[in-house]
Amino acid sequence: MKILYRLYYFVRKLLFPGGFALLVSLTTSGQNVCNSSLAIPNGFSIDGPASGCGPFAVQLIDNTGFSDVKYIYTYNGESATELGGLGPLENTRYTYFAEDENTSYTILQYGKDNNGNDFYSCKNVTVRAGVKPLYSYTQCTRDKGIELVIPKHEDNEDYNSFEIKLGRTAYTKTITSFDLPYVEAIQINYPDVLTITGLINGNPDNCSNSSEPLEHPDVVATQTGIDIPFDISIDTIRLIEPNRVRLNISGSLHPNGYTIQMREAYNDYPNQAFKENFIPNSPIEFELPDPSKSFCFKLSRPIGCGSFEFSPEICTTPIINSSINQNGKINLKWVNHPEAKNILPQPIQQKKQLSTSEINKGITSKDIPNNIDSLSDFISCGTRRVCYTLTNHITGRFIDYDYNSVSISNEVCLSVDSIKAPAISDIISSIENETISIQFNLVAYWPNAIEKFYLYDYAPDSLKLVDSSTSTFFDRPWVDTGEIQCFQIGYIDDCGIQAEPSERTCTVYLRDSLSTILNWTPESPFVGSEIDRYEVLAQNETTGTFESIYQASIASPFSPNLENFEDEALFKIATYSVNGDISYSNLVSLPLRFDLYIPNSFSPNTDGLNDAFLLFGDIDKITSFSLRIIDRLGHEVYRSDSPYFQWSPEQREEIPSGVYNYFISLENTEQEQLNFNGHLHLLR
């Protein structure tokens, strides 16, 4: 648009030197009603100029006399059917506000004539952007003057001459665009007002007047310092990449340009300038020799007042290290802004802010103490990518002039897609009262709340989810499968981040055996601690408590002494960790020696002494039983399938005294098949 407007001015200067306003419509369309057969040439007129500097108000005069008339002040070639949606107005006054660049608008008048037919009428207006002439000056502190500079710059291309005016001294001078860049030293009677006006063919443009009050600067040091217009300064220094810097410079636009000096922080400035003859009409960028160090910059230039002008210095503050671990902990390290070195002492004040940018969460900032150069942070809930930038606001006084600059670090971004919450690393599994109890703690720091814990059955090639809980323990029924049982624990936090499964924990399994030897598995019931020792515990048949009878540092077979047990020998293994934790195995009963006493005589005479033939000993350990008693002729006289039998034949049964033979066949609880036979004396 700016190029188009400059073309318009070139044509206007060439063809209409008197300043005729050329109206140009920027809209063309096949549906444009301004070009239709229903368009009339003078349905309305503009009361006043058709161009002006925004805010620019137009007043329209209706020339039709029709009653149904509407106006669209920003018509852009829409079809007749679209006009109702453009917010047509009935009033004839409208204000266009200032634009960033010169803009042409089309005003559309439309409605119905007295016969009910559609009509259209169009005119164009131009709103100037109000670009003022670009100039600068340096105030000379020794001889009460200024050095005025009007540069050759695109902002001055719309004007073919400039008027320079000092209001108090009646100083007036006009220069042409061919004199640019223009430099002049002017004596000032303070206070005064400097006015620069852009002229088009000798006429002032109502957008172009620029005035500047002039006060003589006081060189005496003051408590607050003084602010000088167009003072030379590095306003912003930004690391657009770790090894590339961008300087934004302000100050007088002198055509002789600036000298840039650079030093490595904590070193002096070299004698040779870094860059010379630099004219600050745009930011300047260049490479840095070492992205891990801070570099400082200052400006200087000669001025027509007979001296040099210097800027305060500003230094880079690079973020030199950034990392994120698997637990979501972020570590940052940067180089602090050093104390300044300049021609005169330059005390500075700093205000550091660390900006954090997260997707879908925007940018947040927090103040950072000046004396630290590192920071640890944790990802916030739901974050998948986070970026950091350090901004350091530097303020101070250079000579007696106030200044403030901003040093912006390089941006560092970290992806958190691969982050897993820390695995649970403190687990104990134990078997008690026919229940597997698994207790655990989340030892590693994790900033987010835990939503749920998960229990997995462990297998070498797979994990099977078997339970979930919001508490830090699981209870599972213990079933003797003949195999070791191992588990892993995981969890998910309230941000949806899932932890890696823990290391496996295994209950110590004491194997059931028909022998008198105890064997148990060596896999550890502890996660986060080593096994210190094993203890074999035996149950006291009198008190019911378990007592330690053996200790070992490894899982090795052990044969206990069973002679002290009468009814049942019950054992379990206690496993101790080096931290003092205890885990218990399942219970196992070892087989005791099977004792059975068979009398060889009895006397069924009802005297209450030895009246019946019966068995004594571990009768309750007999699971199947068969008894046959025969006389000396081979006749069966008694049979029983119960080990609790009692044979006491009465006198009338005609079973005389004598010797009989018995045959016993049985199976005990240890699955032993036993046979007994012998002579039995029956005494009357």
Side-chain angles (χ1 to χ4, degrees), residues 452-456 465 467-468 474 488-492 498:
K452 189 170 289 188
F453 296 97
Y454 298 104
L455 181 67
Y456 302 94
L465 178 64
D467 202 356
S468 64
F474 287 98
Q488 288 179 277
I489 298 175
Y491 64 87
I492 189 170
Q498 192 153 353

Side-chain angles (χ1 to χ4, degrees), residues 330 355-364 379-388 411-417:
I330 295 171
S355 297
T356 305
S357 174
E358 300 178 61
I359 296 176
N360 299 326
K361 295 189 178 183
I363 300 176
T364 58
I379 61 167
S380 59
C381 191
T383 297
R384 307 315 306 163
R385 185 174 182 268
V386 61
C387 298
Y388 292 93
E411 182 183 55
V412 294
C413 295
L414 300 166
S415 174
V416 297
D417 288 334

Side-chain angles (χ1 to χ4, degrees), residues 107-124:
I107 301 174
L108 169 66
Q109 178 195 50
Y110 75 101
K112 302 284 187 181
D113 61 19
N114 293 334
N115 296 321
N117 298 317
D118 294 331
F119 79 93
Y120 306 98
S121 184
C122 300
K123 289 187 182 297
N124 295 326

Side-chain angles (χ1 to χ4, degrees), residues 130 294 438:
S294 174
I438 305 169

Side-chain angles (χ1 to χ4, degrees), residues 377-671:
D377 198 6
F378 275 89
I379 61 167
S380 59
C381 191
T383 297
R384 307 315 306 163
R385 185 174 182 268
V386 61
C387 298
Y388 292 93
T389 305
L390 187 70
T391 301
N392 204 358
H393 298 267
I394 307 296
T395 59
R397 291 175 62 188
F398 174 56
I399 309 178
D400 292 308
Y401 305 148
D402 292 332
Y403 75 93
N404 60 79
S405 300
V406 179
S407 177
I408 305 174
S409 75
N410 50 309
E411 182 183 55
V412 294
C413 295
L414 300 166
S415 174
V416 297
D417 288 334
S418 61
I419 285 179
K420 292 283 188 181
I424 293 173
S425 56
D426 182 13
I427 308 175
I428 304 173
S429 59
S430 182
I431 302 174
E432 300 179 54
N433 300 322
E434 301 298 313
T435 299
I436 300 175
S437 176
I438 305 169
Q439 299 183 359
F440 51 91
N441 292 297
L442 182 62
V443 175
Y445 174 74
W446 186 246
N448 302 332
I450 307 303
E451 182 177 282
K452 189 170 289 188
F453 296 97
Y454 298 104
L455 181 67
Y456 302 94
D457 269 342
Y458 170 82
D461 56 351
S462 66
L463 289 178
K464 179 183 178 183
L465 178 64
V466 294
D467 202 356
S468 64
S469 173
T470 57
S471 302
T472 56
F473 66 88
F474 287 98
D475 285 339
R476 303 284 297 170
W478 183 79
V479 178
D480 191 352
T481 62
E483 297 179 352
I484 187 173
Q485 297 184 51
C486 297
F487 304 92
Q488 288 179 277
I489 298 175
Y491 64 87
I492 189 170
D493 69 15
D494 60 358
C495 297
I497 298 177
Q498 192 153 353
E500 294 281 5
S502 69
E503 296 181 12
R504 64 174 180 167
T505 174
C506 302
T507 57
V508 173
Y509 178 57
L510 185 56
R511 302 185 187 279
D512 199 0
S513 174
L514 296 178
S515 69
T516 60
I517 298 176
L518 295 174
N519 286 279
W520 63 92
T521 55
E523 285 80 4
S524 177
F526 309 114
V527 172
S529 182
E530 299 294 328
I531 293 175
D532 178 58
R533 69 185 187 278
Y534 298 97
E535 288 190 3
V536 178
L537 305 182
Q539 187 179 49
N540 186 305
E541 291 183 283
T542 302
T543 64
T545 59
F546 281 86
E547 301 168 353
S548 176
I549 62 171
Y550 175 74
Q551 291 188 14
S553 59
I554 61 173
S556 58
F558 171 68
S559 179
N561 182 4
L562 301 179
E563 292 183 357
N564 296 326
F565 297 91
E566 295 182 0
D567 297 324
E568 185 177 28
L570 196 61
F571 301 91
K572 65 180 178 180
I573 305 298
T575 306
Y576 290 82
S577 76
V578 293
N579 295 333
D581 299 319
I582 306 176
S583 170
Y584 296 102
S585 74
N586 56 303
L587 296 174
V588 163
S589 178
L590 290 185
L592 299 179
R593 184 170 55 115
F594 182 73
D595 289 329
L596 191 67
Y597 174 70
I598 306 174
N600 58 10
S601 64
F602 74 108
S603 57
N605 54 10
T606 66
D607 60 0
L609 297 175
N610 199 20
D611 286 334
F613 174 55
L614 70 164
L615 301 180
F616 298 91
D618 295 331
I619 300 175
D620 57 342
K621 293 183 179 180
I622 298 174
T623 57
S624 65
F625 180 83
S626 175
L627 167 68
R628 291 177 62 237
I629 298 176
I630 61 176
D631 61 17
R632 59 184 180 176
L633 298 177
H635 299 128
E636 182 177 290
V637 296
Y638 183 76
R639 173 188 291 270
S640 178
D641 293 329
S642 171
Y644 299 98
F645 72 92
Q646 292 189 28
W647 183 43
S648 180
E650 297 180 4
Q651 184 69 32
R652 65 175 184 271
E653 291 184 15
E654 297 181 356
I655 297 180
S657 299
V659 178
Y660 294 83
N661 294 319
Y662 65 85
F663 298 90
I664 296 174
S665 176
L666 62 83
E667 181 177 351
N668 62 21
T669 54
E670 307 303 325
Q671 298 181 338

Side-chain angles (χ1 to χ4, degrees), residues 261-263 267-271 296-298 313 341-342:
Q261 291 180 281
M262 180 181 78
R263 72 178 175 98
N267 292 338
D268 293 327
Y269 281 102
N271 294 327
C296 302
F297 300 87
K298 67 177 182 179
E313 77 168 355
K341 291 187 176 183
N342 221 312

